[in-house]
Amino acid sequence: MNIGIDIGGSHIGVGLVGASGKIINKKEVDITEKDKKNIEKMIVNTIIEFIKNILKEQDITTKEVGYIGIASPGTIENNCIYNVVNLGLEKLDIAKILNKEFGLDVKIKNDAKCAGIAESMYGSTKPVQDSIYLCLGTGIGGSAFINNKLVEPRYKSGMEFGHMIIEKDGRQCNCGSRGCFETYCSMKVLKQEIIETLELDTKTAGAEIVKEIRKHMDDLRIKPLIQEYIEYLAIGISNLINIFEPETICIGGSFVYIGDLIIPMIVEEIQRKELLFNKRKEKDIKIVLASLGNDAGIIGAASLL
Ligand SMILES: [Zn+2]
């Protein structure tokens, strides 16, 4: 058994994970705007309390736990978390704190890598050896697997799929560059465009916006917007296929709620524009949805080698 922790842009999840990636006990909480005033303290206190409660409820001690794994956004260097822009977090040496508190090893890895690991071990990409995991959420993250092994550069995290430039002099990105994939294809961008076009309240919840997208797919105001979204997504995904030649591309993040509608349109667009260097039959462009949902981060963090 290991403990898996998922630090997200808007929520924290902590789970005790057993064999085969099964979650035995899980605690979750949303991060509010108020929490962000002292985010370091909130994250640390929440995680410590959740772990203590889980151990108590399962009636076990830390001796029965292998290690603590953390799926985190931002930059991870020397087992420390830096620069999580969405949380306003500059530096958090959480490994040291948790190690001191529980006496367990702490491993931290990029959240999209953890989710990709979980999908490749227990989820949608389990049947294949070469795959890409693409998370379309607030931003765009991802991971790549070749021969079932996570592709990991030596010095930096890499796999910044969201920051491949797909439009010269395009939209301004948070990273300082222009025309990045995520400024066109993150779910945050799509939702924002839907809110503006349908003149929805800016506070409309994500689930509501997704419902609106589904309802208005043929709406003349929404159609060109979706079409443009698909054109950019097809370019980004084709770039990844041309570089990695994966057997399957797995998409996670809040995209999963509209994926069934959008994926066939992406495949059609890739074929229509002949975007692949090595041509494939339509049935061989396999784009699937992540199957572990919000639990992927926890399960992946608890399944690190
Ligand atoms: Zn960027």
Side-chain angles (χ1 to χ4, degrees), residues 40 51 98 111 178 224 283 287 291:
E40 290 86 357
I51 293 176
L98 294 182
D111 48 4
R178 282 186 171 274
K283 69 171 178 48
I287 305 175
S291 61

Side-chain angles (χ1 to χ4, degrees), residues 163 173 175 177 180:
H163 301 284
C173 181
C175 75
S177 201
C180 293

Side-chain angles (χ1 to χ4, degrees), residues 218-234:
D218 289 321
D219 186 318
L220 287 177
R221 291 169 298 169
I222 298 296
K223 235 179 162 172
L225 199 152
I226 297 282
Q227 181 54 35
E228 191 182 68
Y229 180 74
I230 284 160
E231 284 172 23
Y232 282 117
L233 203 46

Side-chain angles (χ1 to χ4, degrees), residues 15-30:
L16 181 69
V17 182
S20 315
K22 193 176 176 300
I23 295 183
I24 298 161
N25 191 329
K26 181 173 78 170
K27 310 267 172 227
E28 287 177 295
V29 70
D30 284 336

Side-chain angles (χ1 to χ4, degrees), residues 11-300:
H11 108 290
I12 297 175
V14 178
L16 181 69
V17 182
S20 315
K22 193 176 176 300
I23 295 183
I24 298 161
N25 191 329
K26 181 173 78 170
K27 310 267 172 227
E28 287 177 295
V29 70
D30 284 336
I31 298 171
T32 63
E33 284 303 313
K34 209 174 126 219
D35 292 330
K36 290 184 185 173
K37 286 195 182 106
N38 197 344
I39 190 71
E40 290 86 357
K41 201 172 156 203
M42 185 267 174
I43 292 174
V44 168
N45 290 349
T46 303
I47 290 174
I48 291 177
E49 187 195 321
F50 281 175
I51 293 176
K52 282 183 176 167
N53 287 345
I54 288 172
L55 294 175
K56 201 170 155 195
E57 283 173 26
Q58 297 306 126
D59 197 18
I60 58 171
T61 67
T62 50
K63 285 200 181 68
E64 286 153 272
V65 177
Y67 75 94
I68 297 174
I70 303 177
S72 171
T75 307
I76 297 145
E77 266 177 31
N78 304 318
N79 224 19
C80 190
I81 303 168
Y82 295 91
N83 301 327
V84 183
V85 183
N86 287 328
L87 292 175
L89 186 138
E90 282 174 19
K91 184 189 175 189
L92 184 61
D93 197 355
I94 187 133
K96 206 163 148 190
I97 299 168
L98 294 182
N99 175 267
K100 202 173 154 203
E101 182 76 32
F102 298 105
L104 289 166
D105 279 345
V106 180
K107 305 177 189 188
I108 311 178
K109 204 180 268 297
N110 171 274
D111 48 4
K113 286 188 177 163
C114 288
I117 289 168
E119 292 294 339
S120 92
M121 288 178 79
Y122 311 111
S124 291
T125 47
K126 194 179 171 201
V128 300
Q129 299 194 320
D130 298 344
S131 64
I132 294 285
Y133 174 79
L134 191 61
C135 178
L136 304 183
T138 314
I140 295 183
S143 44
F145 297 81
I146 293 177
N147 284 329
N148 272 330
K149 199 171 172 296
L150 177 70
V151 179
E152 279 194 292
R154 187 171 308 269
Y155 295 112
K156 298 280 175 187
S157 186
M159 306 300 130
E160 294 294 352
F161 301 153
H163 301 284
M164 63 180 161
I165 295 169
I166 58 168
E167 185 74 74
K168 173 182 169 288
D169 298 328
R171 296 177 187 168
Q172 182 69 49
C173 181
N174 282 336
C175 75
S177 201
R178 282 186 171 274
C180 293
F181 187 29
E182 76 172 31
T183 64
Y184 295 89
C185 294
S186 73
M187 282 300 287
K188 187 182 171 186
V189 166
L190 179 64
K191 285 175 185 171
Q192 195 57 44
E193 287 172 346
I194 299 287
I195 286 176
E196 282 167 21
T197 309
L198 293 178
E199 293 172 356
L200 303 174
D201 185 340
T202 50
K203 289 199 183 85
T204 312
E208 278 304 309
I209 301 167
V210 168
K211 264 189 216 158
E212 293 293 328
I213 298 174
R214 297 192 76 95
K215 209 161 72 188
H216 291 278
M217 284 292 279
D218 289 321
D219 186 318
L220 287 177
R221 291 169 298 169
I222 298 296
K223 235 179 162 172
L225 199 152
I226 297 282
Q227 181 54 35
E228 191 182 68
Y229 180 74
I230 284 160
E231 284 172 23
Y232 282 117
L233 203 46
I235 290 173
I237 289 175
S238 299
N239 287 343
L240 293 171
I241 295 177
N242 289 338
I243 295 167
F244 292 99
E245 289 293 345
E247 297 166 87
T248 301
I249 290 190
C250 171
I251 308 183
S254 51
F255 179 85
V256 297
Y257 303 113
I258 53 165
D260 59 318
L261 297 172
I262 305 278
I263 286 175
M265 296 159 89
I266 302 170
V267 174
E268 204 187 306
E269 175 73 9
I270 290 174
Q271 292 300 66
R272 195 170 63 81
K273 293 244 181 85
E274 300 188 8
L275 297 174
L276 298 185
F277 179 79
N278 292 313
K279 303 296 170 224
R280 293 188 185 205
K281 288 188 178 130
E282 195 159 311
K283 69 171 178 48
D284 294 327
I285 303 174
K286 293 199 174 87
I287 305 175
V288 300
L289 293 174
S291 61
L292 300 171
N294 276 334
D295 291 338
I298 292 177
I299 295 170

